[in-house]
Every structure is written in structure tokens, then in C-alpha cells.
Amino acid sequence: MIEYLIIIAANIIIGGMIGLTGIAGFLLPMLYSGFMGMPAAQGMALSFFAFLISGILGSRNYYKSDNLDVKLAVTISIGSIIGAIAGVWMNLLINESIVKRILYLVVLLSGISILVRKDKEREEAGKRKIPAAAAILFGLATGCICALSGAGGPILVMPLLVTFGVQVKTAVGVALFNSIFIAIPSCIGYSMQCDASSMALLLVVSMISHGAGVWIGSRNADMIKPQPLKKGVAIFSILIAIFKLITG
């Protein structure tokens, strides 16, 4: 029972942060595998099913608010599907302890990137176009890294798009849409390595609570300043990652 309560609370909170800021999903695989002791494949499967829900709900809201560049999102996602398949395959070949360390490193670097990124300056900076070939290669690389590490998608894709000159809100919308196409092959690949009967109830509980969190967060995004929340997530993530890297 305690396990289910932890999963419900974590998915509502993390889903809410994703709805508000587009980030924080990478905390889920760390919770499942790093703190709850689940096998890496099960933790990844539960996480990516949640990312699938947040991607669908989040990108829908960003599309309705005209903050989703559909052409760019689709182009990146073409590469991401291939990259995610490769990432899942690589994950299953690598020792589980190494996979967890990769996750912690991605979380650490992601947290640092949130702290050093200046969204306002980037948003004013430009609306540069990314060539189709470059977008596909970008999707291929980020899809592979996200599927391999369990980082989800937006935490890596969104800041990089901003760095390339995409406006912040558009970058969040594109990253959420793209996370759907990272999640689909990841869900399939990691689920095939799990005992479906033992994971079924956990999966239903996590998806419902995560969806509720994303919905609540996205509906109240205008009521809360995202920057303090982002900084808090970044600092929390950095501290957790360092702790896990040191303690193993």
C-alpha cells in the first residue's frame, strides 16, 4: 500500500511540474530505480508510459495556445523514433548499474543546464529555422539519449532548442510533442522485459495520477511563476544526482 501511495503522490507532483514548466519527468526513473529499488526495465517502462501521457496532454494544450511548431515537432520526431529504438536496445545491452549512472549523469547535467539557461534572453533572441536534416539528426541523438537514460525528452530537448534559437514556449511545446515519439518505442521495448501481470496495477495507478498532475499543472500554469519552480527542480535534481553518484 505504501508503494502505491508513493507512486500516486510522486506522479501527481512531478506531473504537475511538467504541466507548469515542461520539465521534471526525469525524476520518475530515478524514484523507481534509484530509491524504490525496482529493476531498471520496470522503472523505465512505468516512467515512459507516464511520459506518453504528459506528452499527449501537454502538447495538446500548447497546440491550442498556438505554441507548438508542428512542422518542426514532426521533423524532430522522425529522428526520435529511430533514436529511441536504438536507445532501448543499447540500454538492454548495458549493465544495470551503468544505466543508473548514465541516468544520474543526465539528471545532473540537466539540472545544471536549467540553472545556467536564461530563458528571457533566449526568447527575445530569435525565431531561427532549423534545417530539416539537422532536425532529424537532432531528434535521432536526443531520442537515443533519452530512451537510454530514462530522461524522458523535454528536459534535454527543450533547453537545446532554446539554445538553437527557438522561442521558449514553442520549445516546450515541441519537446512535449516529441516526447510522445520517444515514449512509444520505449514503452514497448521496456515492457517486453517486465512481468506484465505484476506491473499492470502499478502502471494504471501511475498513468492516472500522472495524467491528473499534468492536467492540473497545465490548467494553472498562468497562476504560478515558472522560474522559481524550475530553479528549485534544478537544485533538487543536482543534489540527488550527486548523492546517488557518490553512494552508488
Side-chain angles (χ1 to χ4, degrees), residues 121-180:
E121 293 179 8
R122 295 290 185 186
E123 189 166 7
E124 294 171 351
K127 304 177 181 179
R128 284 180 257 170
K129 298 294 183 181
I130 301 176
I136 291 173
L137 289 175
F138 173 78
L140 183 69
T142 54
C144 182
I145 294 170
C146 291
L148 170 63
S149 66
I155 190 64
L156 184 60
V157 174
M158 188 266 283
L160 288 175
L161 286 176
V162 173
T163 301
F164 296 154
V166 178
Q167 290 186 318
V168 175
K169 288 183 179 179
T170 302
V172 175
V174 170
L176 285 167
F177 180 89
N178 178 242
S179 68
I180 299 170

Side-chain angles (χ1 to χ4, degrees), residues 104-123:
Y104 303 150
L105 283 171
V106 171
V107 171
L108 176 63
L109 294 174
S110 299
I112 293 172
S113 75
I114 295 169
L115 286 179
V116 302
R117 191 175 69 247
K118 297 180 180 179
D119 287 351
K120 186 175 181 180
E121 293 179 8
R122 295 290 185 186
E123 189 166 7

Side-chain angles (χ1 to χ4, degrees), residues 11-227:
N11 274 280
I12 290 175
I13 293 170
I14 293 172
M17 288 192 288
I18 292 174
L20 287 168
T21 67
I23 62 172
F26 59 90
L27 294 174
L28 278 180
M30 178 170 280
L31 168 73
Y32 292 141
S33 298
F35 289 92
M36 297 183 70
M38 291 183 184
Q42 182 174 331
M44 294 287 198
L46 290 172
S47 298
F48 277 107
F49 272 106
F51 300 154
L52 180 61
I53 294 296
S54 58
I56 292 170
L57 293 177
S59 61
R60 173 183 177 274
N61 288 336
Y62 275 82
Y63 177 77
K64 289 176 67 176
S65 62
D66 199 27
N67 286 312
L68 174 60
D69 184 333
V70 176
K71 183 178 179 180
L72 176 60
V74 170
T75 307
I76 291 174
S77 297
I78 291 171
S80 291
I81 292 176
I82 302 170
I85 293 170
V88 173
W89 177 74
M90 291 170 61
N91 181 289
L92 299 175
L93 292 178
I94 299 173
N95 183 276
E96 186 168 317
S97 63
I98 297 176
V99 171
K100 288 183 178 181
R101 287 194 168 273
I102 292 173
L103 171 61
Y104 303 150
L105 283 171
V106 171
V107 171
L108 176 63
L109 294 174
S110 299
I112 293 172
S113 75
I114 295 169
L115 286 179
V116 302
R117 191 175 69 247
K118 297 180 180 179
D119 287 351
K120 186 175 181 180
E121 293 179 8
R122 295 290 185 186
E123 189 166 7
E124 294 171 351
K127 304 177 181 179
R128 284 180 257 170
K129 298 294 183 181
I130 301 176
I136 291 173
L137 289 175
F138 173 78
L140 183 69
T142 54
C144 182
I145 294 170
C146 291
L148 170 63
S149 66
I155 190 64
L156 184 60
V157 174
M158 188 266 283
L160 288 175
L161 286 176
V162 173
T163 301
F164 296 154
V166 178
Q167 290 186 318
V168 175
K169 288 183 179 179
T170 302
V172 175
V174 170
L176 285 167
F177 180 89
N178 178 242
S179 68
I180 299 170
F181 296 90
I182 296 174
I184 291 172
S186 300
C187 289
I188 295 170
Y190 289 122
S191 295
M192 291 174 64
Q193 308 301 315
C194 302
D195 180 0
S197 60
S198 65
M199 193 181 73
L201 185 56
L202 285 175
L203 180 59
V204 172
V205 168
S206 67
M207 290 180 71
I208 291 174
S209 54
H210 191 81
V214 172
W215 184 257
I216 292 169
S218 61
R219 296 278 291 182
N220 293 279
D222 294 335
M223 298 175 61
I224 299 175
K225 292 183 179 180
Q227 287 306 316

